[in-house]
Amino acid sequence: MKTWISLTALLIGFSILSCRPPEGCQVLPILGNRDIQGMDTLYPTIPDFTFMNQDSQWVDNETFAGKIYVVDFFFISCPTICPKVKKQMLRVYQAFAAEPRLVLLSHTIDVRHDTVPRLKAYAEGLGIATDRWHLVTGAEDDIYQIAGNYFSVAKKDPSVPGGFDHSGRLILIDEQRHVRSFCDGTDAESVDRFMKDIQCLLDEN
Amino acid sequence: MAACQQPYSQGKALYESACGSCHMTDGTGLAGLIPPLSGSDLIRTRPDLLPCIIQNGMEGKLLVNGQEYDQVMAPVTGINAVEMANILNYIQSEWGDPGLFYSPDRIQQILSTCGSGPVNLGNTGAE
């Protein structure tokens, strides 16, 4: 009985707290293995990269200066999880349509087929603006390698449908190139939580 | 309650694994890239096309509810006529014309008329 009462009190307490926007933000941790060197703690950072987007423009770290961004990996002919992940990316895109400090970055992992013109047609199908959502291609090795920095898997695997193995994660990167949050891009509820994290990170800056 | 339940639960499960990743669990598709099944005029007006779309895939421009699509759907392999009937009966009852019914025999019959190569409507849709 007593526990019920305190539980109820707790719930009421929570619902009062949660009326405050944006719902109890905690500082998002920097993810990844820390490296402690003497007095300094080094956090893993996203390395330099250069890719090309659907408008044949170069996209590199500078493109995201002063912004936070969300990353995923996909390929156009993907018969498995990609369309679901894209649908969730589109949700994120639409939810933050009025927020120029957030940009989306999707990497194809099928660089042979997903040429710039095909990425362009795909972007048109999604109905997206290039400066808000870059669909990029580049050197295959560069893309597979940087996937690891984004806590994602991307590689060729003839044994899986479509011929590529990859995780359907969405990853959130801050202005200092640190990974701050990720979620399962096939699961709408996981993405709900992720979008709260995005809002919290925006409010941090 | 029981009477209100989806009668094609097997079709639903098969749909989710064979088609749901692209057309989505709720049948809404993906923006201008993957057409919806939910509310699609094409699945109501051209039901005999559906087994061929599954078996041979689909490409080229097409119109669904007035919106143009132009991507590629690869053939869906590894499902037999009974499973196909289950999937299509689920789709029609959920999102199309619940009065339509596909028997495995009818599926077999339609499949023998599909010919080879993906379905290509050449910029038309429901007629």
Side-chain angles (χ1 to χ4, degrees):
Chain A
M1 201 47 194
K2 224 178 174 172
T3 42
W4 281 115
I5 294 169
S6 44
L7 249 179
T8 318
L10 208 76
L11 280 175
I12 293 168
F14 268 132
S15 47
I16 291 169
L17 272 180
S18 62
C19 294
R20 287 199 211 134
E23 225 172 282
C25 277
Q26 286 175 354
V27 176
L28 301 171
I30 295 172
L31 303 177
N33 296 327
R34 276 171 298 183
D35 185 9
I36 298 175
Q37 295 198 340
M39 301 287 280
D40 294 326
T41 306
L42 302 177
Y43 293 95
T45 53
I46 301 302
D48 289 343
F49 58 80
T50 307
F51 296 121
M52 184 174 274
N53 74 14
Q54 66 265 39
D55 284 348
S56 305
Q57 298 161 334
W58 295 112
V59 170
D60 59 22
N61 310 74
E62 271 309 298
T63 311
F64 304 97
K67 297 177 192 297
I68 68 173
Y69 64 104
V70 172
V71 167
D72 78 335
F73 294 83
F74 82 112
F75 58 108
I76 293 175
S77 67
C78 171
T80 54
I81 57 176
C82 313
K84 281 197 168 164
V85 176
K86 275 289 162 292
K87 188 130 184 172
Q88 295 302 321
M89 282 286 272
L90 201 53
R91 260 184 84 207
V92 173
Y93 178 84
Q94 282 157 355
F96 293 93
E99 180 48 85
R101 287 179 301 157
L102 179 76
V103 183
L104 277 62
L105 171 61
S106 295
H107 308 74
T108 178
I109 58 175
D110 184 2
V111 299
R112 252 193 45 187
H113 294 106
D114 296 351
T115 55
V116 168
R118 292 191 75 197
L119 292 174
K120 177 77 182 165
Y122 197 82
E124 278 166 4
L126 285 170
I128 59 175
T130 306
D131 59 335
R132 300 299 312 287
W133 190 348
H134 302 272
L135 308 179
V136 298
T137 179
E140 189 176 78
D141 288 345
D142 291 352
I143 292 178
Y144 292 177
Q145 197 163 5
I146 208 160
N149 296 102
Y150 291 118
F151 302 165
S152 297
V153 179
K155 62 176 197 301
K156 277 198 181 125
D157 183 348
S159 72
V160 303
F164 295 90
D165 186 16
H166 65 299
S167 49
R169 278 185 177 168
L170 311 189
I171 306 96
L172 177 63
I173 312 299
D174 70 13
E175 287 184 35
Q176 283 73 44
R177 302 191 192 182
H178 294 139
V179 177
R180 300 294 292 276
S181 180
F182 61 82
C183 69
D184 174 357
T186 62
D187 174 21
E189 281 173 25
S190 175
V191 176
D192 288 346
R193 281 192 297 278
F194 184 71
M195 290 203 287
K196 281 188 189 139
D197 285 351
I198 294 175
Q199 190 57 56
C200 289
L201 187 58
L202 284 166
D203 292 343
E204 227 179 72
N205 297 312
Chain B
M1 270 310 274
C4 305
Q5 268 169 19
Q6 169 52 243
Y8 298 107
S9 56
Q10 240 177 320
K12 185 178 159 78
L14 285 165
Y15 169 80
E16 178 54 27
S17 64
C19 330
S21 57
C22 289
H23 292 282
M24 306 293 150
T25 304
D26 61 4
T28 51
L30 174 62
L33 292 168
I34 301 175
L37 299 177
S38 153
S40 155
D41 50 5
L42 187 138
I43 67 169
R44 265 181 290 112
T45 56
R46 308 194 62 179
D48 285 0
L49 217 50
L50 271 51
C52 298
I53 294 176
I54 298 177
Q55 178 177 263
N56 292 5
M58 187 170 202
E59 65 179 32
K61 292 192 166 86
L62 83 148
L63 288 175
V64 175
N65 301 336
Q67 154 124 35
E68 189 178 284
Y69 297 86
D70 187 9
Q71 290 283 322
V72 176
M73 170 174 155
V76 178
T77 52
I79 52 175
N80 60 33
V82 176
E83 290 166 330
M84 206 183 275
N86 274 328
I87 292 175
L88 291 178
N89 286 329
Y90 167 70
I91 290 173
Q92 291 292 2
S93 79
E94 191 79 1
W95 300 309
D97 178 353
L100 280 167
F101 178 75
Y102 301 81
S103 67
D105 280 351
R106 173 141 175 259
I107 298 270
Q108 291 283 20
Q109 201 189 325
I110 297 171
L111 288 179
S112 67
T113 67
C114 298
S116 62
V119 175
N120 189 332
L121 296 181
N123 206 14
T124 63
E127 269 149 19

